[in-house]
Amino acid sequence: MAYSNYGGNDGGFTTTGAYGGGGGFTSFGGGTQVSGTQGTPGGKTQKSFTLRPVTIKQLNDAEQPIENDFRIDDVEVTHVTFIGQIRNISPQPTNILYKMDDGTGTIEVKQWINPEAEAPKNPELEEGRYARVTGALKPAGGKRFVAGTTLRLVTDMNEINYHFLEAVAVHLHYTRGPVDQFMAGGGARKAVTSGVDVAMGGMGGGGGSGASFAGLSRHAATVLQFIKNENNNEGVAVEQISVRTKLGLSEVLKAKDELVNEGRAFTTVDENHIAPMDYD
Amino acid sequence: MEATPRINASFLQQFENQTVIIVGKCIQVRGENALVEAGGNINVHLSPNGTCVPGNFVEIVGKVQPDMTVKSLLTTDWGTDVDMAAVDAVVDLTHRYKDLFY
């Protein structure tokens, strides 16, 4: 019952997952990192740029310790994706306002209109139809709304159920830890690496378990673990990594290229220093 | 704001007089009465413009009556290609992790 790749249209959000009838979750992949992630300057809190699948109730229940900062399961959240039925569409001068209902609650989605460009015509989006929304959760007075980046008509109704399964899986990931912690090694990893494989690194909160390194080669995982432990925002020199991990310099360089290409690490002061994209 | 939890036949009693969402297979229709299979059989009173195509899956937003039938408010045809295992899983998780759903 594994399902694959939904939402090629909504910003590269990719999922893998399988729900075993009675056996609980066997695997899941989470939100892909949205572009624009930067190395965090020393000391500052990590800003979450992950795209999180949620229910509308989770958005309405999200804690808001300070303006513009929302947290779900005590994890900062900005970009979200959900599926709901369109209850109402009202065109405004600067935006189109959609009222969305997914059975867990309702929330307003604003899609801004660029007056320069032609109005975003999406005649398929009609009241009563299901749409996949991707956007950012924003405060508005005491209320909150989603600034919609994309709204896409749902044509395969299975996507609705898969979305809810995924929202639960991500919730459990944050509240109970990665799946690998509960599985006897092999099974979980096998499931994660089959088919459309998504690195789970963007999720944060991995806690150093195997799940954070899904999809990486053994050497790349070793190097990533090492530079995470070093916790040095200026980056770690490849020579130092080589000495400390007892990997040959050429292996370290290969691992470095892999980590940079996968978006898991970036080079810092020069091409020979790397730092991880996020710390667990 | 009221949530409409996703349920199936085994949750009818628990949600008497509440508005719920049921996804099931439309078995037969007689006038405004439809028989829908969703973890068991459910009798549905279709609203005037309600749809239930025998053989197709249908999503029903409706209110659970004291006699455990469901009065539909809104029906959506889901076609024939529906993964009922995923539907059942969502119903199960809805009530297992209520905080996310209602």
Side-chain angles (χ1 to χ4, degrees):
Chain A
M1 200 181 19
Y3 61 93
S4 57
N5 219 337
Y6 268 101
N9 303 337
D10 52 25
F13 181 71
T14 317
T15 65
T16 59
Y19 183 79
F25 293 103
T26 50
S27 80
F28 77 96
T32 316
Q33 289 220 326
V34 171
S35 63
T37 310
Q38 297 289 327
T40 315
K44 268 191 158 179
T45 346
Q46 290 279 331
K47 181 120 176 126
S48 168
F49 283 96
T50 53
L51 175 62
R52 179 164 177 176
V54 293
T55 66
I56 291 176
K57 182 165 189 291
Q58 285 180 294
L59 295 178
N60 288 320
D61 288 350
E63 287 175 41
Q64 195 182 0
I66 50 166
E67 184 83 354
N68 254 325
D69 178 11
F70 291 100
R71 300 182 82 84
I72 299 175
D73 300 327
D74 214 28
V75 176
E76 192 178 342
V77 64
T78 43
H79 299 280
V80 294
T81 180
F82 63 90
I83 290 180
Q85 212 167 5
I86 303 168
R87 286 275 169 265
N88 189 268
I89 304 175
S90 54
Q92 312 282 322
T94 57
N95 64 74
I96 303 175
L97 193 61
Y98 297 88
K99 190 177 179 189
M100 304 296 297
D101 181 346
D102 70 351
T104 74
T106 59
I107 197 161
E108 283 179 342
V109 175
K110 276 184 198 175
Q111 195 168 34
W112 304 101
I113 302 165
N114 180 0
E116 309 287 306
E118 212 175 306
K121 283 212 181 76
N122 213 334
E124 290 178 321
L125 298 174
E126 294 169 347
E127 286 168 19
R129 308 203 73 169
Y130 274 98
R132 157 82 72 176
V133 178
T134 302
L137 186 58
K138 301 276 186 191
K143 288 170 63 185
R144 46 192 66 171
F145 69 95
V146 171
T149 314
T150 61
L151 280 93
R152 168 176 62 75
L153 189 73
V154 170
T155 49
D156 179 351
M157 293 305 187
N158 290 310
E159 188 179 352
I160 299 165
N161 291 307
Y162 295 151
H163 167 73
F164 283 121
L165 298 181
E166 195 171 40
V168 172
V170 171
H171 163 73
L172 293 177
H173 175 88
Y174 282 128
T175 53
R176 302 192 180 181
V179 177
D180 275 11
Q181 282 181 358
F182 301 97
M183 307 282 291
R189 282 304 283 269
K190 218 173 183 177
V192 168
T193 46
S194 68
V196 262
D197 191 358
V198 173
M200 292 169 60
M203 308 287 294
S209 88
S212 318
F213 304 114
L216 291 179
S217 72
R218 197 159 50 87
H219 290 161
T222 304
V223 169
L224 183 58
Q225 183 67 64
F226 177 74
I227 59 176
K228 281 189 181 199
N229 290 344
E230 286 298 289
N231 201 3
N232 183 345
N233 282 316
E234 317 237 299
V236 186
V238 286
E239 293 83 1
Q240 195 191 342
I241 298 171
S242 169
V243 171
R244 299 278 304 280
T245 60
K246 301 192 167 58
L247 292 175
L249 191 55
S250 63
E251 272 86 32
V252 172
L253 289 171
K254 248 185 262 172
K256 182 200 77 170
D257 289 342
E258 181 181 339
L259 291 171
V260 170
N261 288 337
E262 293 290 322
R264 307 294 289 271
F266 59 100
T267 54
T268 55
V269 287
D270 60 35
E271 283 300 300
N272 290 321
H273 286 73
I274 56 170
M277 201 60 92
D278 54 34
Y279 292 95
D280 293 330
Chain B
M1 173 175 25
E2 220 164 307
T4 45
R6 289 175 160 75
I7 70 160
N8 58 26
S10 53
F11 286 91
L12 284 173
Q13 220 138 27
Q14 202 180 318
F15 287 89
E16 185 183 333
N17 288 324
Q18 291 188 50
T19 304
V20 296
I21 298 177
I22 296 164
V23 174
K25 191 167 199 171
C26 183
I27 304 297
Q28 62 175 23
V29 185
R30 280 207 195 110
E32 58 187 25
N33 291 311
L35 185 65
V36 173
E37 189 190 329
N41 287 342
I42 301 174
N43 285 300
V44 179
H45 298 288
L46 292 175
S47 52
N49 52 359
T51 166
C52 189
V53 181
N56 279 18
F57 292 91
V58 64
E59 183 196 59
I60 298 150
V61 181
K63 196 169 172 186
V64 182
Q65 304 298 303
D67 64 357
M68 297 302 117
T69 62
V70 173
K71 199 171 175 189
S72 87
L73 305 165
L74 190 71
T75 51
T76 312
D77 186 83
W78 275 27
T80 52
D81 179 23
V82 172
D83 180 351
M84 270 313 277
V87 173
D88 292 341
V90 169
V91 170
D92 176 47
L93 293 173
T94 294
H95 306 283
R96 203 185 290 245
Y97 303 106
K98 297 182 175 119
D99 288 354
L100 273 63
F101 294 97
Y102 65 94

